[in-house]
Amino acid sequence: MSTLTITGLSALEILDSRGRPTLSVTLTAQDGSRHVAGVPSGKSTGANEAVERRDGVADHYAGQGVEEVVATVEGEIASHLVGHGWDGIWEIDTTLCGVDGTPNLSRLGANAVVGVSMAAARAFAHASGQPLWRWLARDGVAPRLPVPHFNILNGGAHAPNQLEFQEFMVAPIGAPDLPSAVRAGADVYAALRALLVEDGLDTGLGDEGGFAPDVDVETALRMLTKAIDRAGYEAGRRGVAIALDPAATGFRGHDGRYLVGDERLSAGDLIDWYTELVEWYPIWSIEDGLAEDDWDGWATLTQRLGDRVQIMGDDIFVTNPQIITEAIERKVGNSSLIKVNQIGTVSRTLEAMAVCRDAGYTQMISHRSGETPDSFIADLAVGSGCGQLKSGAPARGERVAKYNRLLEIAAANPDLPYGLG
Ligand SMILES: C=C(OP(=O)(O)O)C(=O)O
Ligand SMILES: [Mg+2]
């Protein structure tokens, strides 16, 4: 094991992909090497996520800044970390959580903590002489190149249209290798653009780089299926499948009904509709199909569709090992989305993934809708061997940075397997 002595810690307020303030953290190690992490930021956040801290006063250009968070990294956090030798990321992360003292990192800010934790992980990888993905691989886990899930059609909180579902992703599950999968994502994205133009629909983009036309859910699914075909791929698991993130908390009314078009659906109605959609379209995964507090509905959804599609929790699980453990006990979902900033440290992220693995729950590593060019999650997806990554459309620099990092890893490591595993 390599010991890491931290000699410096600094932070900077930068902009994320939405033009909102976020921070980058730079950690300097004893050998003079510098390790930088860019902090992402979600918009459709789960109620139980670790808390992103922002300055109290909304400022003139982009909402609330993070200057106080920058000061916390350089002041309080640095005072606990700099000048000490550390034996592992667990030790640093445990110290950060202890110094924070709250269950959700709200005092220091999860954005401060996660930036330091990611930079520290990079420093440990460097000290061990390994690429980040290999250093992140834990005992008993076989690294692999994940199936990229390209979010090419955006709705919900990420787009100005009326489309209820937040994300319509294409997943080249049947591609022979990672480069072919990335090419397939780009081909389908281009085909969808052409279809939108042909139909006179808007080709403006949502927050994650997918198109944001004003269409309803079934039209979106029809267009996606057609785009897959038009691009020359087989629609379905042997070729390019569809994954949905309805992010259902976002279209649930105060009375607990789900508001879709003119309809006010119960959880049961919505589950019936999902069952039909899975029948009619090549859907392989549904994330946040019901609201985050609708645990009974989730159990029913899992019972009804869990043996046919991946039923994945995002807002409901928030990458929290305790919540995922409860979900496993209650047979809620069969898969978890994994977002590092949702739980706040690299160690707790790895713990959440281990809990999933032990229970046979699949996992998908995820970006946030507000991103930087940081490609940490690409390495995490490979090292964890989970087989799935979502990072938005195959366009826009902050999204493409992750897919391009996968391509780099693939090129340098031709023996790494590709696929769901
Ligand atoms: C990536 C997502 O969105 P956000 O980052 O806004 O939570 C998501 O809901 O899966
Ligand atoms: Mg989600």
Side-chain angles (χ1 to χ4, degrees), residues 171-248:
I173 297 175
D177 51 39
L178 191 271
S180 308
V182 172
R183 216 170 300 125
D187 286 345
V188 178
Y189 185 72
L192 179 60
R193 168 186 265 278
L195 284 174
L196 290 166
V197 171
E198 278 172 27
D199 289 356
L201 289 163
D202 194 355
T203 53
L205 303 181
D207 286 1
E208 298 188 354
F211 300 109
D214 234 325
V215 294
D216 62 23
V217 167
E218 293 207 34
T219 304
L221 283 167
R222 263 195 305 276
M223 293 194 84
L224 232 56
T225 311
K226 198 167 167 190
I228 293 168
D229 182 62
R230 175 81 72 93
Y233 297 93
E234 181 180 339
R237 295 183 199 208
R238 296 196 318 175
V240 179
I242 293 175
L244 296 176
D245 179 4

Side-chain angles (χ1 to χ4, degrees), residues 28-260:
T28 309
Q30 194 177 18
D31 63 358
S33 59
R34 287 156 57 83
H35 308 281
V36 183
V39 176
S41 174
K43 191 192 261 177
S44 67
T45 49
N48 295 314
E49 288 197 23
V51 172
E52 177 183 278
R53 198 175 128 216
R54 291 195 173 264
D55 301 343
V57 187
D59 59 38
H60 56 285
Y61 67 106
Q64 293 170 306
V66 292
E67 284 175 14
E68 290 167 17
V69 187
V70 166
T72 295
V73 172
E74 296 186 339
E76 185 170 356
I77 293 180
S79 74
H80 287 275
L81 301 189
V82 174
H84 301 284
W86 302 91
D87 287 332
I89 188 79
W90 270 104
E91 208 182 357
I92 289 182
D93 289 346
T94 307
T95 300
L96 288 167
C97 294
V99 169
D100 175 84
T102 69
N104 56 10
L105 300 177
S106 55
R107 198 180 71 75
L108 297 175
N111 40 352
V113 170
V114 82
V116 174
S117 182
M118 288 162 65
R122 284 203 163 102
F124 275 113
H126 173 81
S128 73
Q130 294 177 296
L132 181 60
W133 64 269
R134 204 187 290 277
W135 180 84
L136 283 164
R138 303 290 109 154
D139 285 349
V141 171
R144 60 171 41 249
L145 294 157
V147 174
H149 284 61
F150 302 100
N151 180 13
I152 63 172
L153 213 151
N154 297 182
H158 295 166
N161 56 14
Q162 299 300 311
L163 181 56
E164 291 87 359
F165 290 8
Q166 181 179 283
E167 299 173 22
F168 294 77
M169 292 169 270
V170 288
I173 297 175
D177 51 39
L178 191 271
S180 308
V182 172
R183 216 170 300 125
D187 286 345
V188 178
Y189 185 72
L192 179 60
R193 168 186 265 278
L195 284 174
L196 290 166
V197 171
E198 278 172 27
D199 289 356
L201 289 163
D202 194 355
T203 53
L205 303 181
D207 286 1
E208 298 188 354
F211 300 109
D214 234 325
V215 294
D216 62 23
V217 167
E218 293 207 34
T219 304
L221 283 167
R222 263 195 305 276
M223 293 194 84
L224 232 56
T225 311
K226 198 167 167 190
I228 293 168
D229 182 62
R230 175 81 72 93
Y233 297 93
E234 181 180 339
R237 295 183 199 208
R238 296 196 318 175
V240 179
I242 293 175
L244 296 176
D245 179 4
T249 306
F251 57 90
R252 197 184 197 205
H254 295 300
D255 60 356
R257 296 258 163 181
Y258 294 90
L259 312 178
V260 182

Side-chain angles (χ1 to χ4, degrees), residues 44 166-167 245 247 287-288 314-315 337 339 390:
S44 67
Q166 181 179 283
E167 299 173 22
D245 179 4
E287 173 190 333
D288 282 356
D314 171 16
D315 293 354
L337 197 71
K339 291 168 166 168
K390 72 168 187 178

